[in-house]
């Protein structure tokens, strides 16, 4: 059974969608930072959902680039990596700013545990992606520092409320 082959036009269409997702995520990141100061995770969740949509498109595009009919794919791959890099930078910076605002709050809003567990994974994934040869050096030292800062701020928030990350199970009381 042979794999399906994709045309440049199909990949370009997905790249356009990826670019739209990136623009929308940028707007949501700004809103999330503003909302965090009001003890709200709603806008940040929307931002993270948009990032999730972006990441789903990334998977589709990577698969299509591997199975492109046209052997000429450098321009498409460059555009793809540029957009992925922009989103990675946006994710790291938005997380850092959101965590910074949250770290100043003595009381964390409901839903914080779920956000922090997801963010720990996300920051780890971002760090791993930065190590890949095709991303190394493209993002610069500033983004590496921002990623480290976001991780440190997240750790500080978790230290302030260790009960948020009780991994021993139980879910917070109730019968066995």
């Amino acid at each position: 059974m042979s794999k399906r082959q994709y045309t440049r036009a199909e990949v370009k269409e997905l790249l356009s969608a990826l670019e739209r997702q990136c623009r929308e995520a940028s707007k949501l990141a700004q809103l999330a930072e503003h909302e965090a100061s009001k003890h709200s995770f709603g806008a940040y969740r929307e931002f993270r959902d948009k990032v999730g949509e972006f990441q789903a498109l990334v998977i589709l595009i990577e698969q299509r680039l591997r199975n492109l009919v046209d052997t000429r794919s450098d321009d498409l791959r460059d555009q793809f990596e540029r957009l992925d890099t922009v989103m990675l930078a946006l994710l790291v910076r938005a997380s850092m700013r959101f965590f910074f605002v949250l770290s100043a709050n003595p009381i964390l809003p409901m839903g914080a545990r779920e956000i922090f567990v997801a963010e720990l994974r996300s920051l780890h994934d971002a760090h791993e992606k930065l190590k890949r040869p095709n991303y190394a050096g493209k993002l610069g030292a500033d983004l590496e520092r921002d990623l480290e800062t976001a991780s440190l701020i997240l750790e500080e928030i978790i230290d302030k409320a260790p009960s948020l990350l009780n991994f021993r199970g139980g879910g917070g009381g109730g019968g066995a």
Side-chain angles (χ1 to χ4, degrees):
M1 192 161 127
S2 64
K3 288 186 178 184
R4 172 151 190 249
Q5 297 281 291
Y6 298 93
T7 65
R8 287 181 63 80
E10 288 172 302
V11 173
K12 280 185 169 189
E13 187 176 325
L14 285 177
L15 286 170
S16 293
L18 198 66
E19 195 165 349
R20 279 192 306 278
Q21 294 287 341
C22 200
R23 279 195 305 270
E24 291 169 15
S26 179
K27 291 175 189 171
L28 288 170
Q30 291 172 350
L31 182 60
E33 184 180 354
H34 176 71
E35 293 282 313
S37 63
K38 299 176 185 175
H39 307 286
S40 173
F41 281 166
Y44 193 74
R45 278 196 184 107
E46 286 182 42
F47 166 71
R48 294 297 296 155
D49 288 347
K50 187 58 65 180
V51 171
E53 292 171 18
F54 182 92
Q55 290 169 334
L57 269 173
V58 162
I59 292 167
L60 291 175
I61 293 169
E62 285 175 330
Q63 191 260 339
R64 279 162 175 70
L65 283 171
R66 281 192 304 272
N67 297 300
L68 194 63
V69 172
D70 191 342
T71 57
R72 221 177 25 94
S73 66
D74 287 350
D75 60 325
L76 298 175
R77 192 168 302 283
D78 288 347
Q79 183 181 0
F80 166 72
E81 288 179 2
R82 181 183 55 78
L83 289 168
D84 197 24
T85 301
V86 166
M87 181 58 90
L88 184 59
L90 178 64
L91 174 63
V92 169
R93 291 201 174 103
S95 295
M96 183 186 67
R97 289 181 187 127
F98 183 75
F99 296 154
F100 183 74
V101 170
L102 274 185
S103 71
N105 294 333
I107 299 169
L108 297 172
M110 291 196 37
R113 181 183 188 279
E114 292 77 15
I115 293 284
F116 294 144
V117 169
E119 289 309 311
L120 280 171
R121 183 80 209 148
S122 179
L123 290 175
H124 172 76
D125 291 347
H127 185 71
E128 291 302 307
K129 190 173 254 189
L130 285 172
K131 291 180 184 177
R132 291 184 191 169
N134 52 334
Y135 288 87
K138 285 187 178 179
L139 299 172
D142 286 349
L143 189 66
E144 280 280 354
R145 278 193 300 276
D146 288 349
L147 181 58
E148 182 64 26
T149 300
S151 296
L152 291 172
I153 294 170
L154 182 57
E155 287 175 25
E156 178 185 317
I157 293 169
I158 291 168
D159 286 345
K160 281 182 9 183
S163 62
L164 284 173
L165 295 177
N166 180 357
F167 291 110
R168 284 174 263 146

